[in-house]
């Protein structure tokens, strides 16, 4: 128990001192005796799978039928004190609920599945384009989840339960949350695809330099999506066989179906990343073409005016015996020579097919 009390101190990556020196209360056995700080929502799934939303400001009766989903906010230091005291969970699972964010993990014990996986952060308008981490631990009668920022998959699953979505097993809720993670990533991937369509359409209408910032943002998003999907797939590949044959039937997952969807989604993300790479090369090529065209025009203009510059330089020398200095029509003759020299260069470049057509 001392280890669990100390583990609560790392919540939010800061030390939190215990509220008192009394022995830690045993949870969830004592849930019916007091409220739980930091609880965002709670659901009870009855034997027929019907969800029931429970008030978070009242004690929860654990002796009722069915199983529970408890969702906590780790920004509340009191929740960090509470979660490591869940004695019905293995010590490692209780500690994982308040572990620092930053790495996905999935562990399977004889009576518990726990870990951390990435999900898109949610705001008032739905899923954002930034990732956070959802901590969870589940037994055959309980699923405890926790987060430091609102997670889109958990919020979407809550909305489904509010609409009466039935779940008969704890593992069904976990599968629902993972599927919503895939849904949000799929939606984000579609958004990036649409952005690339717009970039491709605008590429031939505007300067390529206008699209570089947009394309860089799309490529960054695709790389980030692929990295998170690879991490989630690696978790299921490592322990998937154990999840298929977990001793309690309530903890068994359809990992083959989940992995198939995640792999298909990851292939789409890889294809999108390759498309972004090719589009980046196209943008670079167009920028190079525009630069070469500008340099070519500058070279033509410079060559065309080179004879005129030479003539003007000669007649501008402050020396004696310059031609046309002693006649009244000298300026006219110098202009004729200047224009004639330029026309001669123009005819030469046309004969040599140097000019643009």
């Amino acid at each position: 128990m001392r280890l669990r009390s100390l583990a609560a101190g790392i919540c939010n990556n800061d030390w939190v001192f215990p509220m008192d020196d009394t022995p830690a209360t045993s949870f969830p056995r004592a849930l019916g005796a007091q409220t739980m700080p930091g609880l965002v929502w709670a659901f009870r799934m009855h034997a027929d799978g019907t969800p029931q939303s429970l008030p978070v400001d009242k004690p929860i009766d654990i002796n009722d039928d069915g199983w529970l989903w408890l969702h906590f906010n780790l920004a509340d230091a009191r929740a960090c004190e509470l979660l490591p005291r869940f004695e019905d969970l293995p010590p490692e699972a209780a500690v994982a609920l308040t572990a620092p964010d930053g790495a996905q993990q999935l562990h399977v014990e004889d009576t518990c599945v726990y870990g951390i996986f990435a999900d898109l952060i949610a705001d008032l308008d739905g899923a954002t384009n930034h990732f956070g981490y959802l901590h969870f631990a589940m037994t055959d009668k309980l699923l405890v989840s926790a987060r430091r920022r609102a997670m889109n998959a958990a919020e979407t699953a809550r909305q489904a339960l509010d609409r009466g979505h039935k779940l008969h097993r704890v593992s069904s809720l976990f599968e629902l949350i993972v599927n919503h993670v895939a849904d949000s990533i799929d939606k984000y991937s579609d958004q990036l695809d649409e952005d690339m369509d717009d970039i491709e359409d605008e590429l031939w209408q505007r300067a390529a330099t206008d699209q570089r910032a947009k394309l860089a943002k799309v490529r960054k998003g695709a790389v980030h999506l692929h990295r998170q999907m690879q991490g989630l797939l690696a978790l299921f590949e490592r322990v998937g066989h154990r999840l298929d044959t977990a001793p309690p039937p309530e903890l068994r997952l359809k990992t083959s179906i989940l992995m198939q969807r995640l792999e298909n989604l990851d292939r789409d993300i890889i294809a999108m990343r390759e498309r972004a790479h090719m589009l980046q090369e196209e943008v670079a090529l167009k920028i190079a073409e525009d630069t070469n065209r500008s340099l070519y025009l500058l070279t033509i203009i410079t060559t065309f005016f080179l004879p005129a510059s030479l003539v003007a330089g000669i007649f501008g020398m402050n020396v004696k015996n310059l031609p046309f200095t002693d006649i009244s029509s000298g300026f006219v003759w110098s202009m004729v020579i200047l224009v004639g020299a330029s026309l001669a260069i123009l005819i030469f470049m046309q004969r040599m097919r140097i000019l643009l057509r």
Side-chain angles (χ1 to χ4, degrees):
M1 286 303 298
R2 183 59 178 167
L3 176 61
R4 299 192 194 186
S5 299
L6 292 175
I10 64 173
C11 188
N12 295 324
N13 300 321
D14 295 315
W15 286 100
V16 178
F17 294 98
M19 293 178 285
D20 52 49
D21 295 331
T22 59
T25 306
S26 174
F27 295 98
R29 299 187 183 94
L31 293 183
Q34 65 183 60
T35 59
M36 290 177 288
L39 184 63
V40 182
W41 65 69
F43 282 91
R44 181 184 302 281
M45 262 59 70
H46 295 283
D48 61 351
T50 303
Q52 176 189 357
S53 179
L54 303 176
V56 299
D57 56 348
K58 296 181 180 180
I60 296 176
D61 185 6
I62 64 172
N63 297 318
D64 203 350
D65 67 328
W67 50 275
L68 294 172
W69 177 23
L70 306 177
H71 187 67
F72 288 89
N73 180 13
L74 294 178
D76 191 329
R78 298 172 301 167
C80 298
E81 285 285 331
L82 170 68
L83 291 175
R85 300 176 182 175
F86 273 73
E87 290 193 345
D88 281 13
L89 299 175
E92 297 82 2
V95 171
L97 288 172
T98 57
D101 294 342
Q104 300 190 82
Q105 52 182 286
L106 183 61
H107 305 279
V108 181
E109 302 291 344
D110 292 338
T111 60
C112 180
V113 177
Y114 64 94
I116 305 171
F117 58 86
D119 182 26
L120 291 176
I121 296 173
D123 59 13
L124 295 178
D125 298 326
T128 65
N129 298 337
H130 304 284
F131 279 91
Y133 293 88
L134 182 68
H135 305 240
F136 77 95
M138 64 178 179
T139 66
D140 58 341
K141 293 294 184 181
L142 176 69
L143 190 147
V144 181
S145 56
R147 48 67 171 178
R148 289 179 171 84
R149 300 187 64 181
M151 296 290 101
N152 181 71
E155 176 64 25
T156 308
R158 181 195 66 80
Q159 294 174 4
L161 294 183
D162 283 337
R163 293 192 299 267
H165 185 82
K166 292 186 177 182
L167 297 171
H168 295 86
R169 299 187 304 174
V170 178
S171 59
S172 299
L173 175 58
F174 180 77
E175 291 175 350
L176 179 66
I177 294 175
V178 174
N179 276 314
H180 283 310
V181 171
D183 289 339
S184 59
I185 291 178
D186 193 12
K187 185 177 180 180
Y188 184 20
S189 176
D190 290 341
Q191 177 186 338
L192 293 179
D193 256 336
E194 292 177 1
D195 291 342
M196 280 196 293
D197 289 339
D198 294 338
I199 293 173
E200 198 168 12
D201 292 339
E202 295 176 0
L203 183 59
W204 307 109
Q205 302 174 6
R206 304 179 184 178
T209 52
D210 297 339
Q211 310 304 320
R212 284 190 295 180
K214 296 180 181 179
L215 188 56
K217 184 178 179 180
V218 171
R219 292 188 64 188
K220 180 181 178 181
V223 171
H224 200 185
L225 281 179
H226 177 61
R227 182 167 64 248
Q228 299 297 344
M229 288 299 301
Q230 284 286 73
L232 191 57
L233 274 170
L235 297 180
F236 284 106
E237 289 175 354
R238 183 172 57 85
V239 299
H241 63 285
R242 298 185 62 189
L243 291 172
D244 290 333
T245 59
E250 293 80 6
L251 297 183
R252 294 176 184 171
L253 299 175
K254 301 175 182 177
T255 55
S256 59
I257 298 177
L258 289 176
M259 289 185 61
Q260 183 64 39
R261 184 180 184 193
L262 294 176
E263 287 173 353
N264 291 338
L265 184 56
D266 190 44
R267 279 196 293 269
D268 292 340
I269 294 173
I270 292 175
M272 179 182 62
R273 188 185 63 177
E274 294 299 324
R275 181 188 176 196
H277 180 71
M278 294 178 63
L279 197 56
Q280 178 71 32
E281 293 181 348
E282 189 68 33
V283 169
L285 180 60
K286 184 172 176 57
I287 291 175
E289 290 178 349
D290 293 341
T291 302
N292 291 338
R293 185 179 296 107
S294 298
L295 292 175
Y296 181 77
L297 291 175
L298 180 61
T299 302
I300 293 298
I301 294 173
T302 303
T303 305
F304 180 75
F305 284 103
L306 182 60
S309 300
L310 178 62
V311 172
I314 292 175
F315 282 98
M317 291 188 297
N318 190 17
V319 295
K320 293 182 178 181
N321 297 324
L322 284 176
F324 312 127
T325 55
D326 297 330
I327 60 177
S328 59
S329 59
F331 174 76
V332 176
W333 283 107
S334 63
M335 291 301 297
V336 169
I337 295 173
L338 188 149
V339 174
S342 297
L343 290 176
I345 291 295
L346 178 62
I347 295 172
F348 174 77
M349 287 190 295
Q350 285 181 334
R351 292 284 182 89
M352 300 298 296
R353 298 184 179 181
I354 298 176
L355 290 178
L356 291 173
R357 295 184 179 181

